[in-house]
Amino acid sequence: MEDQQGQAGDIHVVNIPSTSTLAQELREQLANDHSLEVQLGGGSLSCPIIIAEVGSLTRNVDEAMYNPHHVSIGPYHLLRNQELAMDHEKIRTLKAVLSAASGGTPLEVYVEALDGLEVQARKCYAHSFNNNILPSRKFVRMMLLDGCYLLAKFGKISGGGRRSNSGASGTPSVPAAPGFDRLETLAVVRDVFYLAENQIPFLVLDKILQITVSDPNAHAADRIMWFVQELLQGLQYSVAMPPQTATRQAGNLLHLLHMHFEPINPPPPPPDMAGDAAPGGKEKKLGRWRTATEYYFVGVTFKRRPLDAGGKVVVRSILDVNLDGGTLEIPPLNIDAETWRLLHNLMALEQHNPEITKSHVTAYCVFMSQLACTAVDVDLLSSKGIIMHGLGNNGEVAHRFADLCKGIMFTLDDPRGNYLRGICWALEERFQSRFRRWMAWLVRKYFDNPWLFIGLVAAAVGLACTVVQAVYAVLSYK
C-alpha cells in the first residue's frame, strides 16, 4: 500500500488544450493565411519559375556546387555571404546604365518602377522574406543593383559589343563579356548563370531595360541570348536556338540555359509491357540502368553522336541520345571543372519547377550516372569518344558520376519524366536475353582474338571432317 501511495504521489497532472481551443487556433491561422502571400513565394502568371533553395539532402552531397564564390545575385546569398555583394562593382554598373539611359532618365524613375514590382518579385522566391529579414528598401536596392550588373555585363546595355575570347585550338572556351577579362568571365558565369539559388527574376531585368531604352516591349533575354548561345556552343553542350517566343518566357538566367537542353527527337515510349513475364500479372518495372560494360557484354555497341544542328540527323544537345538496333548513340560530353556544377543546378531547377521545365536533364543525368559509375565504364566510353575530360583519372570522373544524382527525386518508370524510358526498356530486354548474352560472350571470347578465331575455325573443320569420315565408314560397312 505504501508503495502504491508513493507511486500515486509521483503522478503529475498535464493540462491538454481542449479541442475547441485547438480548432480556434487553427481558424486564426487560416484566417491570417492571406497575409503570407507577399512574404511567401508561390509563383504568378508573369513569374512561372520559382527560385528556391536547394534541399539539404542534395546540398549535403557537395555544398560547393550550389554556393557562389565571386558575386551574389538575389536575396539568398545576399543574406548569407555579404562579402560577395560586390557593391562597389554594382554601383559602377548602375552608373553605366544611367549614362546609357535615353533622355537622361533619373535614378528615381528606376527606384519607383522597381518598388512597384516588389510584391511580384518576392513571389518568385520560395522562401519567406518578411520585412524583418529583408526590408522593402533593401530588397528594392538589391533588385536594382543586381539587375544593372547583369544587364551591363551581358545585355550590351552600356555600349559593350560582342567579343569572344577563345582558348587554344580544339579547347572549348567561354566567350568574354564586355568589361571582363577571361578569368573574371569564368568566375561570373559560374555564379550568375549556373547557380539555381543565385538568381533574380527576368521581370526585374526587363523593367530596367525598358526604362533605359524607352521601349515598353524590350526583353532582356533578347540581349543576353547571344552570350548563352556562344557559351553552350563553345562548351559543346548545345547548338540549339530556341524560338524568341520561348526565350522571352524565361524566368531567370539558369532557366534560359535550360531551354537549350530540350531533346529534339525524344525516343518513342516503350510498348505496353503489362503482365509480360511478371508474377501475378503485375506490370514489369525498371530497376535502374545497367553500366556501360554490362551493356557491352551483351553485345551493345557505343557510338559517338556529334552535335549538328544543320545535318540530316539533327542533334542539338547532349540530351539527344538514340538507340539504333544494338547501337547506343550518345552525344559527346566534354567534362571540365564546371560541368558538374551546371548539371547539379539544372536538376535543382527541375526539381522545384517540374510542370514547366519537365525533367529531361534529370533523366539524362540519371542515365549517365548509372552508365558511367565505375572507372572501367568511363574508360570504355572515353575510348568511343563519348566522354572527354581533363581531370586526374577515369576513377575521379566515375566518382563524380556516381554522386551526381544523390538526393534527387526521380522515377525511372515515369513516362512523363523519363524521356529515355523507351531506350531503357529496349536495352533491358537485350540484357535479359540469354541467347544474346551467350552470342555476345562467344563473340567477345573468340572473335576478338584472331588466333582464337583461327583455332575455333580449325577445330570446327576438324570436327566436320571427323563426322563425314564416320558417316562414310558406317555406310561402307553396311
Side-chain angles (χ1 to χ4, degrees):
M1 292 294 295
E2 291 179 359
D3 291 341
Q4 292 177 355
Q5 289 176 356
Q7 292 174 1
D10 292 337
I11 296 175
H12 298 280
V13 177
V14 179
N15 293 322
I16 301 177
S18 65
T19 55
S20 60
T21 304
L22 177 59
Q24 180 63 28
E25 180 183 343
L26 292 174
R27 283 197 194 96
E28 292 175 358
Q29 293 178 356
L30 290 171
N32 294 329
D33 184 63
H34 67 276
S35 64
L36 299 178
E37 291 178 359
V38 174
Q39 299 175 15
L40 299 178
S44 66
L45 292 176
S46 58
C47 187
I49 294 295
I50 299 301
I51 304 169
E53 290 182 289
V54 177
S56 58
L57 289 177
T58 306
R59 177 183 288 278
N60 291 340
V61 176
D62 191 348
E63 189 172 0
M65 291 290 105
Y66 307 100
N67 292 335
H69 301 284
H70 182 79
V71 58
S72 69
I73 300 292
Y76 290 121
H77 292 282
L78 173 67
L79 299 173
R80 294 180 195 160
N81 306 302
Q82 295 191 11
E83 69 277 6
L84 298 180
M86 295 281 287
D87 263 16
H88 60 287
E89 178 66 21
K90 292 176 181 178
I91 291 294
R92 281 200 292 268
T93 57
L94 171 61
K95 183 178 180 180
V97 170
L98 292 174
S99 300
S102 56
T105 305
L107 177 61
E108 289 75 12
V109 174
Y110 289 90
V111 174
E112 183 178 353
L114 293 184
D115 185 64
L117 280 181
E118 180 189 359
V119 173
Q120 193 174 358
R122 284 181 183 266
K123 287 184 178 181
C124 294
Y125 294 92
H127 191 74
S128 172
F129 297 109
N130 56 40
N131 285 330
N132 293 329
I133 298 176
L134 192 60
S136 294
R137 180 175 177 273
K138 190 173 183 179
F139 189 86
V140 172
R141 182 180 187 274
M142 174 206 71
M143 288 195 298
L144 178 59
L145 293 183
D146 290 356
C148 289
Y149 179 80
L150 297 176
L151 285 171
K153 296 304 183 181
F154 300 102
K156 301 186 291 185
I157 200 173
S158 57
R162 183 183 301 190
R163 183 181 57 172
S164 295
N165 189 358
S166 300
S169 176
T171 302
S173 62
V174 175
F180 285 87
D181 59 31
R182 188 172 185 274
L183 291 179
E184 188 179 9
T185 298
L186 290 171
V188 174
V189 166
R190 175 191 61 208
D191 286 354
V192 306
F193 280 93
Y194 290 179
L195 302 185
E197 298 174 346
N198 209 43
Q199 302 287 332
I200 60 171
F202 252 122
L203 60 93
V204 174
L205 302 182
D206 287 342
K207 179 59 69 174
I208 295 174
L209 176 64
Q210 290 163 6
I211 295 173
T212 304
V213 300
S214 298
D215 181 1
N217 297 316
H219 292 273
D222 295 344
R223 291 179 171 242
I224 299 176
M225 180 56 65
W226 71 268
F227 186 87
V228 172
Q229 289 174 346
E230 287 193 5
L231 171 67
L232 296 178
Q233 289 176 17
L235 296 172
Q236 301 176 18
Y237 295 155
S238 172
V239 294
M241 299 184 68
Q244 189 178 60
T245 54
T247 57
R248 287 183 176 181
Q249 303 300 317
N252 54 54
L253 291 178
L254 181 62
H255 186 210
L256 188 61
L257 259 67
H258 184 275
M259 289 181 171
H260 292 72
F261 290 90
E262 186 82 12
I264 184 64
N265 289 313
D272 184 13
M273 301 295 292
D276 183 12
K282 295 181 180 179
E283 183 181 356
K284 288 168 59 178
K285 298 291 185 181
L286 289 171
R288 54 164 288 148
W289 291 92
R290 307 289 177 174
T291 64
T293 50
E294 286 178 310
Y295 287 135
Y296 185 72
F297 180 74
V298 296
V300 176
T301 57
F302 295 90
K303 181 181 178 182
R304 185 174 183 265
R305 197 183 195 203
L307 301 186
D308 182 12
K312 184 177 180 181
V313 178
V314 179
V315 183
R316 296 197 309 183
S317 76
I318 57 174
L319 271 63
D320 287 321
V321 179
N322 183 57
L323 180 64
D324 184 8
T327 301
L328 187 57
E329 302 173 340
I330 308 174
L333 178 62
N334 189 55
I335 297 173
D336 61 20
E338 303 304 326
T339 302
W340 315 110
R341 190 182 311 274
L342 177 59
L343 294 178
H344 275 290
N345 284 274
L346 287 172
M347 286 193 290
L349 177 73
E350 291 183 344
Q351 292 283 289
H352 290 98
N353 302 275
E355 296 299 324
I356 297 171
T357 62
K358 302 180 182 178
S359 302
H360 295 327
V361 174
T362 304
Y364 169 80
C365 289
V366 170
F367 163 66
M368 290 299 297
S369 69
Q370 296 179 1
L371 190 73
C373 58
T374 72
V376 177
D377 300 316
V378 175
D379 182 63
L380 172 61
L381 296 176
S382 297
S383 68
K384 304 297 182 181
I386 294 171
I387 290 180
M388 301 175 291
H389 70 89
L391 303 185
N393 52 61
N394 289 339
E396 181 181 349
V397 177
H399 177 72
R400 288 286 193 173
F401 271 123
D403 287 346
L404 183 59
C405 296
K406 286 186 176 179
I408 294 296
M409 300 293 293
F410 183 76
T411 303
L412 203 63
D413 270 302
D414 181 8
R416 296 176 300 174
N418 185 11
Y419 77 103
L420 295 173
R421 183 167 175 258
I423 291 179
C424 191
W425 267 117
L427 290 176
E428 185 63 17
E429 285 188 328
R430 175 178 286 268
F431 183 83
Q432 296 296 341
S433 171
R434 292 184 179 181
F435 174 76
R436 290 182 183 276
R437 295 175 72 172
W438 183 81
M439 289 298 297
W441 173 82
L442 188 65
V443 170
R444 298 280 182 270
K445 186 171 180 63
Y446 294 105
F447 290 83
D448 281 354
N449 189 320
W451 294 110
L452 286 177
F453 174 71
I454 293 173
L456 180 64
V457 171
V461 171
L463 178 63
C465 292
T466 302
V467 171
V468 171
Q469 184 179 6
V471 169
Y472 275 106
V474 170
L475 294 176
S476 62
Y477 174 77
K478 286 185 178 181

